[in-house]
Amino acid sequence: MLAPMSEKTEGNLNAKRSQGFLSAVRAEFALLISLGTAAILIAIGNRLLEDVTHPLLLLIILFWLFATILWSAISVVRHADCLAIKFGEPYGTLILTLSAISIEVMMISTAMLHGANNPTLGRDAMFAVVMIALGGLVGLSLLLGGLRYREQHYNLQGVNSYLNVIMALAVLGLVLPTFTTSTRGPTFSTEQEIFLVVVSVSLFAIFTGSTLWNPRMLRLSRPRHIINCKYAPLLITL
Amino acid sequence: MLIVYLLAVILLAEKFAIPLDNSIEQFGMPQAFGGAIIAALVLAPEGIGAIEAALRNQLQRSVNILLGSVLATIGLTVPAVLTVSLITNRSVILGVQGGNLPLLLLTLAVSVVTFTSGKTNVLQGCIHLLLFAVFLLLIFSP
């Protein structure tokens, strides 16, 4: 199924190649910047990053990395949107979700492993994700949407199943450890950790499965931005 | 391309933690501020998409994107962090403490009340923004 599809797009690509190449380079400029930055950092090693004698230099590096990661993350979403169009539902949704999650999991677990003098960084980041999304971003969406359209409606069933799972797992993961008594402090014992890992992953899998089977609950069925990915062959996009 | 981008983000994310940690130390920022910066970075692409959707009167899509990213954090990042801690044999602090604990519960409760009506207006938006403001306040004066 893949071969004829890519041949066809290959033909289209050849026709557009002469003018398409420059714009392709321009479109993927973020990749050049981020790979370049990564290469420089790997070449120099961690000396530059661990240098704390020049506060200004430290801030510049921090902002540079922040901007580069942000730009690349937006590009990841753009590519995932293209793939979502090519594959159709329900696989498009799955690709979008998985790529967004892999960024998040990597960011937070590396932050946790590297933050030697800040053991709560991972927890703080996860709590902040909940508060920024449910507080700031939901608030802003409702406020701006409300100002423009007065009252907005949506499908209750889908939203309720999200909230159900979020409430259960948020309290289990972020509240319960503060009150459990097998370990001192806000941590879990090994048995509790294994239990929570299994329970969270299964519940997430069941939730994703139910959204895939039930079209009314389907998420992200339309692309987020108007994007031009007509001529990109499947394998290159992937 | 998608995979190459993911690799680039992962490489950079690994490097980002070090200067972030040092800056917080250097400038005497509260430690929770580092977590908020990481969360902002993680949520930025989805947040842009969600607000754009709300402005196009596609609130369903906006809410789906936002709740989807919270669910991914709770449902997959927590187990990922726990697995890392099990493998590396380090105990990981997960429990939210102090004033943040009632704030988290309150936010969950308010979200349920907001989303059980099936329609929303400016008032609900303001309440959520108030909770977000309290979150920012507690970062700097816990």
Side-chain angles (χ1 to χ4, degrees):
Chain A
M1 193 199 123
L2 291 181
M5 203 168 138
S6 55
E7 257 169 44
K8 199 173 141 210
T9 42
E10 196 73 38
N12 284 337
L13 186 76
N14 279 334
K16 292 266 168 182
R17 184 160 279 168
S18 47
Q19 80 222 37
F21 184 70
L22 265 180
S23 64
V25 170
R26 216 175 301 139
E28 307 306 341
F29 195 57
L31 188 63
L32 292 179
I33 299 277
S34 57
L35 282 182
T37 310
I40 291 171
L41 288 179
I42 289 169
I44 305 181
N46 287 347
R47 247 180 316 126
L48 187 64
L49 295 176
E50 278 157 6
D51 184 11
V52 287
T53 45
H54 307 290
L56 192 65
L57 184 68
L58 192 65
L59 273 188
I60 291 172
I61 293 174
L62 190 68
F63 278 115
W64 176 262
L65 277 177
F66 186 88
T68 321
I69 295 174
L70 187 59
W71 197 5
S72 306
I74 291 172
S75 302
V76 166
V77 174
R78 178 167 52 87
H79 278 277
D81 273 338
C82 281
L83 283 177
I85 295 172
K86 279 184 203 298
F87 282 112
E89 294 303 341
Y91 306 103
T93 305
L94 214 57
I95 295 172
L96 266 174
T97 316
L98 285 181
S99 50
I101 289 167
S102 58
I103 294 180
E104 185 170 334
V105 169
M106 283 316 294
M107 287 286 298
I108 292 179
S109 37
T110 51
M112 198 192 80
L113 284 175
H114 284 272
N117 39 13
N118 189 354
T120 59
L121 192 59
R123 192 263 331 255
D124 289 340
M126 288 186 281
F127 174 63
V129 166
V130 177
M131 288 308 301
I132 293 175
L134 284 187
L137 291 173
V138 166
L140 209 56
S141 290
L142 296 184
L143 182 66
L144 293 177
L147 284 177
R148 188 174 280 193
Y149 302 101
R150 282 291 173 80
E151 212 171 67
Q152 294 181 296
H153 298 263
Y154 44 86
N155 165 18
L156 210 57
Q157 194 194 354
V159 173
N160 272 341
S161 49
Y162 272 113
L163 277 177
N164 247 334
V165 185
I166 288 174
M167 277 192 81
L169 290 183
V171 172
L172 284 183
L174 295 176
V175 177
L176 200 62
T178 311
F179 296 101
T180 49
T181 49
S182 10
T183 50
R184 289 173 64 85
T187 55
F188 274 137
S189 68
T190 311
E191 301 81 40
Q192 290 167 335
E193 283 186 358
I194 294 171
F195 179 80
L196 189 66
V197 169
V198 173
V199 166
S200 304
V201 172
S202 347
L203 202 53
F204 187 82
I206 294 169
F207 176 81
T208 311
S210 73
T211 55
L212 293 184
W213 293 118
N214 186 350
R216 269 187 304 171
M217 278 164 56
L218 202 62
R219 312 169 269 166
L220 311 178
S221 50
R222 267 171 293 177
R224 282 170 212 189
H225 315 285
I226 312 298
I227 32 177
N228 180 18
C229 44
K230 232 182 188 165
Y231 299 110
L234 185 67
L235 285 173
I236 291 187
T237 321
L238 194 69
Chain B
M1 275 304 206
L2 178 66
I3 294 169
V4 181
Y5 266 115
L6 278 178
L7 279 176
V9 171
I10 289 165
L11 278 176
L12 290 175
E14 200 191 342
K15 301 290 176 195
F16 184 69
I18 304 167
L20 179 65
D21 207 26
N22 289 337
S23 307
I24 286 167
E25 192 91 336
Q26 183 90 4
F27 301 106
M29 292 295 219
Q31 301 220 313
F33 190 61
I37 287 185
I38 291 181
L41 199 49
V42 164
L43 281 173
E46 279 154 320
I48 295 167
I51 289 170
E52 276 177 0
L55 286 175
R56 286 195 307 264
N57 207 9
Q58 300 177 331
L59 192 66
Q60 177 78 52
R61 186 172 175 72
S62 165
V63 169
N64 280 352
I65 293 173
L66 292 173
L67 293 185
S69 57
V70 173
L71 183 64
T73 304
I74 297 297
L76 287 177
T77 312
V78 169
V81 164
L82 284 175
T83 312
V84 169
S85 93
L86 283 171
I87 292 170
T88 57
N89 213 2
R90 290 160 51 145
S91 81
V92 50
I93 295 172
L94 264 190
V96 173
Q97 289 162 300
N100 284 333
L101 187 57
L103 181 62
L104 175 62
L105 296 175
L106 180 63
T107 306
L108 291 173
V110 167
S111 301
V112 170
V113 174
T114 298
F115 290 121
T116 39
S117 60
K119 52 189 188 212
T120 53
N121 53 39
V122 175
L123 174 66
Q124 277 109 327
C126 291
I127 297 170
H128 283 265
L129 285 177
L130 165 72
L131 291 172
F132 179 63
V134 175
F135 164 69
L136 292 181
L137 174 74
L138 287 183
I139 288 180
F140 294 101
S141 74

